[in-house]
Amino acid sequence: MKRAGGLYDLLAARENLRVAFWKAARGCRASPACRRFAGRLDENLESLAAELRAGDARPGRPHCFRIFEPKERVISAPPFRDRVLHHAIINVCEPHLERWLIADTSACREGKGRLRALERASRFARGQPWFLKMDVRKYFDSVSHDRLLAFLEKRFKDRRLLALLERIVRGHETSPGRGLPIGSLISQHLANFYLGWLDRWVKETLRRVGYVRYMDDFAIWGSGAGDLGAVLAKVRAFLLDELDLALKDWPYVNRTAHGMDFLGFRIFPHGRVPNRASRRRFIRRCAALASAWQRGEMSGLEFQQRTAAMIAFVREGDARYLLRRVAAMAPTA
């Protein structure tokens, strides 16, 4: 595919930066950082545009913290000004990244997402008797800066844009020359793009029809254990040789009739249900909210609002048992 050029001036355009601000402000309009930026919006946007025109825009220091659900991770939240810059870059670059990705990778893509990945996995489970489930070991921490930047040069030819992306990529390291931060918009898109080379190799070289990836979780379906064992060896070698990545130590080959854990659900040929970890987490969180309501720490309306997102998640599969459990916890008045 032809490399895209002439994008940097679009990135630095005032109209693009204003749209980027409104996207960055969604969901955080009341935060002090957003309010400070918005209070001098024209001045701040002009300052950012001037830095971009001069080729001097540089990432700030992120706010880092740990989360423990569903597993322990370090989140690097960029400053609000960087969030505006990241949205401005993605506004311009996303269409060119999007055209290069295959249909069966779903993370960070408008109109796709996690539910789309689950639906495709369910479809392949109905048609193939065996599956191979894999994920990458410490994926975000392991991405090679040099290889990622080389891949970006294959998609974009604007040297100023590539220089800006290099400053952002090299501004975060978990080990020398490696790592993308968890918690920034641009790192999500770049991480998804990096494994796009795996996607194309699986589809174009291995010629596998049954394949789904959501960020670094991916699965391949086939006719038998021997077939997928050979695929596993090839995937492991490709990741190491071409992307400098390693699989986790427990890739899983099994019959689809036994069910496959994927994105919080267990997928069977006849349907899908929340997996064991999701069920336990759902019940524990709902019970904690119900206890808070019973102690008078929240209203019945707040209880319902805070459980709504969790209910929406489990309803992406057959969750009748879980919904009966949460209904028994719910306020009655």
Side-chain angles (χ1 to χ4, degrees):
M1 185 179 289
K2 186 177 179 181
R3 293 193 301 163
L7 300 179
Y8 193 81
D9 290 337
L10 297 176
L11 188 160
R14 186 64 174 274
E15 296 78 9
N16 181 49
L17 293 177
R18 187 171 290 275
V19 171
F21 162 75
W22 290 113
K23 289 183 176 181
R26 282 189 303 216
C28 67
R29 295 291 300 277
S31 72
C34 181
R35 292 172 66 180
R36 284 194 299 270
F37 195 97
R40 304 174 66 180
L41 181 60
D42 290 338
E43 181 180 338
N44 285 325
L45 292 181
E46 180 54 39
S47 172
L48 183 54
E51 287 185 13
L52 286 168
R53 290 192 294 268
D56 197 35
R58 297 182 182 279
R61 179 176 296 179
H63 168 59
C64 298
F65 57 95
R66 292 181 183 273
I67 63 171
F68 298 91
E69 290 284 357
K71 60 184 178 181
E72 183 177 357
R73 293 181 294 176
V74 177
I75 305 298
S76 298
F80 185 80
R81 193 172 191 270
D82 284 16
R83 292 181 59 188
V84 176
L85 175 60
H86 294 176
H87 275 284
I89 294 170
I90 294 303
N91 286 349
V92 170
C93 294
E94 184 176 19
H96 303 281
L97 298 175
E98 173 68 24
R99 283 199 292 270
W100 185 80
L101 295 171
I102 70 167
D104 280 324
T105 182
S106 297
C108 306
R109 302 181 72 184
E110 189 172 348
K112 292 186 181 290
R114 195 176 57 84
L115 181 56
R116 159 76 175 183
L118 287 169
E119 290 172 345
R120 292 292 287 169
S122 295
R123 176 180 175 182
F124 291 132
R126 289 193 295 270
Q128 297 283 349
W130 287 78
F131 70 84
L132 165 62
K133 171 68 172 58
M134 298 164 281
D135 57 350
V136 178
R137 181 190 301 153
K138 295 183 178 179
Y139 176 50
F140 275 74
D141 288 348
S142 302
V143 171
S144 164
H145 292 173
D146 289 342
R147 296 196 189 205
L148 172 58
L149 294 169
F151 291 157
L152 288 169
E153 284 197 45
K154 294 181 179 181
R155 297 298 310 121
F156 303 106
K157 61 183 178 181
D158 192 316
R159 302 311 305 179
R160 293 179 297 171
L161 173 60
L162 290 169
L164 174 59
L165 290 171
E166 181 170 5
R167 288 196 295 274
I168 292 172
V169 168
R170 296 198 187 278
H172 176 91
E173 283 188 334
T174 52
S175 60
R178 290 182 181 273
L180 291 174
I182 299 173
S184 81
L185 173 73
I186 198 164
S187 65
Q188 294 175 31
H189 283 270
L190 293 180
N192 197 41
F193 167 75
Y194 193 75
L195 277 179
W197 302 86
L198 170 68
D199 300 337
R200 285 186 168 265
W201 176 78
V202 169
K203 300 297 284 189
E204 296 169 6
T205 302
L206 296 186
R207 313 293 291 181
R208 307 303 299 202
V209 175
Y211 172 77
V212 171
R213 180 175 68 84
Y214 189 86
M215 198 54 77
D216 61 317
D217 287 340
F218 57 102
I220 299 174
W221 284 262
S223 58
D227 168 41
L228 292 176
V231 169
L232 172 60
K234 293 176 182 178
V235 169
R236 197 188 298 275
F238 177 87
L239 286 172
L240 182 61
D241 296 342
E242 301 298 327
L243 301 179
D244 200 12
L245 298 172
L247 290 175
K248 287 185 179 176
D249 294 334
W250 46 88
Y252 191 44
V253 177
N254 207 341
R255 295 181 183 273
T256 55
H258 295 166
M260 180 186 79
D261 278 1
F262 188 58
L263 303 181
F265 287 80
R266 194 157 184 86
I267 296 172
F268 297 92
H270 59 271
R272 59 180 179 263
V273 297
N275 66 16
R276 180 180 299 178
S278 293
R279 294 195 304 270
R280 288 177 174 174
R281 187 163 52 247
F282 178 80
I283 291 172
R284 184 175 67 249
R285 289 178 175 177
C286 287
L289 290 174
S291 296
W293 164 72
Q294 290 168 353
R295 293 192 302 268
E297 297 172 3
M298 70 174 62
S299 67
L301 177 60
E302 185 180 358
F303 172 85
Q304 293 169 5
Q305 290 172 338
R306 294 182 63 176
T307 55
M310 295 186 292
I311 291 172
F313 172 84
V314 298
R315 288 186 68 180
E316 291 172 357
D318 185 350
R320 287 170 290 182
Y321 166 73
L322 287 177
L323 295 180
R324 286 195 296 268
R325 289 282 299 272
V326 76
M329 302 175 190
T332 57

